[in-house]
Amino acid sequence: QVQLVQSGAEVKKPGASVKVSCKASGYTFTSYYVHWVRQAPGQGLEWMGVMTPSGSTIYAQKFQGRVTMTRDTSTSTVYMDLSSLRSEDTAVYYCARDWSYWGQGALVTVSS
Amino acid sequence: QAGLTQPPSVSRSLRQTATLTCTGNSNNVGNQGAAWLQQHQGQPPKLLSYRNNDRPSGISERLSASRSGNTASLTITGLQPEDEADYYCSAWDTSLSAWVFGGGTRLTVL
């Protein structure tokens, strides 16, 4: 069965970077889009960007220059790296294959 | 980035029908439709409807999605307690080259 398993919770200081992983299984890794979506406490969903099947990336304008999405096809893992963290980046970060399958989410807390 | 517009909350009684709306423009909802997602507190979202209004396998037939112009709708009939959740719509915006979400609608089943 399709599964997306994300890395664990992180606590970071302002200005630092965080790298969240999303390990896929149960399907052909290079055949589907993998999105990154975040959700601040008590807020709605916010699209950050997507890794396409070919390995290219499309980022939301809001995160351009601060986000980098990469993948390792040998381990079927997609990574999302967010830099220059600020308190407003405190959120649960999700990966999602198309919109059909979602990871469990990774809480990133940015606090001094 | 401009998002899609959803009413913040809708309340209906048990066994009634609720219709949730999602308004965009000709670059997003009006172009390729909207997907619908359900999220219960503390859980990841769950896909309820693809952009073409089809339901994924396992989604109740009580749910149906449709679109008229730039507005997408999700109708839930025979409301049950487990339908109480947050509902989000999402669409690809061709002018932004980005996915956009609605702000979400909290459905309360009385």
Side-chain angles (χ1 to χ4, degrees):
Chain A
Q1 71 282 22
V2 174
Q3 277 194 307
L4 299 174
V5 179
Q6 298 183 231
S7 47
E10 304 254 18
V11 179
K12 296 291 183 180
K13 292 196 182 302
S17 296
V18 68
K19 192 168 189 174
V20 181
S21 67
C22 171
K23 183 172 175 57
S25 61
Y27 71 96
T28 302
F29 179 66
T30 52
S31 294
Y32 291 87
Y33 291 79
V34 175
H35 298 267
W36 287 91
V37 174
R38 76 177 187 179
Q39 187 169 37
Q43 302 300 308
L45 303 173
E46 182 175 31
W47 184 75
M48 299 181 69
V50 64
M51 170 73 71
T52 73
S54 68
S56 63
T57 52
I58 304 171
Y59 301 140
Q61 186 175 10
K62 175 178 178 176
F63 299 101
Q64 293 269 5
R66 269 211 312 147
V67 70
T68 304
M69 296 175 188
T70 57
R71 71 180 184 182
D72 183 341
T73 56
S74 69
T75 60
S76 299
T77 303
V78 182
Y79 299 92
M80 188 282 299
D81 198 316
L82 187 63
S83 62
S84 302
L85 290 169
R86 33 209 188 233
S87 58
E88 310 89 88
D89 294 317
T90 294
V92 176
Y93 289 76
Y94 293 104
C95 60
R97 196 207 83 172
D98 301 325
W99 298 125
S100 301
Y101 297 93
W102 292 70
Q104 81 276 20
L107 175 63
V108 175
T109 302
V110 183
S111 174
S112 54
Chain B
Q1 287 176 311
L4 309 176
T5 300
Q6 298 183 251
S9 63
V10 169
S11 298
R12 292 289 184 273
S13 298
L14 197 63
R15 293 183 294 278
Q16 281 197 332
T17 295
T19 297
L20 312 182
T21 59
C22 167
T23 301
N25 58 43
S26 58
N27 295 317
N28 42 61
V29 176
N31 189 296
Q32 296 181 7
W36 286 92
L37 302 154
Q38 177 193 59
Q39 186 179 35
H40 287 105
Q41 182 73 22
Q43 297 295 315
K46 175 183 178 181
L47 181 66
L48 300 179
S49 173
Y50 297 106
R51 284 185 290 166
N52 64 1
N53 300 325
D54 285 347
R55 283 188 307 272
S57 173
I59 300 301
S60 171
E61 292 181 354
R62 296 187 297 107
L63 279 68
S64 63
S66 61
R67 176 169 66 101
S68 177
N70 297 332
T71 297
S73 299
L74 179 72
T75 299
I76 310 172
T77 60
L79 284 169
Q80 298 297 308
E82 59 267 28
D83 296 324
E84 188 161 288
D86 294 324
Y87 291 80
Y88 295 92
C89 58
S90 181
W92 172 254
D93 192 298
T94 57
S95 67
L96 299 174
S97 292
W99 283 86
V100 290
F101 280 98
T105 295
R106 176 153 295 178
L107 175 62
T108 301
V109 180
L110 303 172

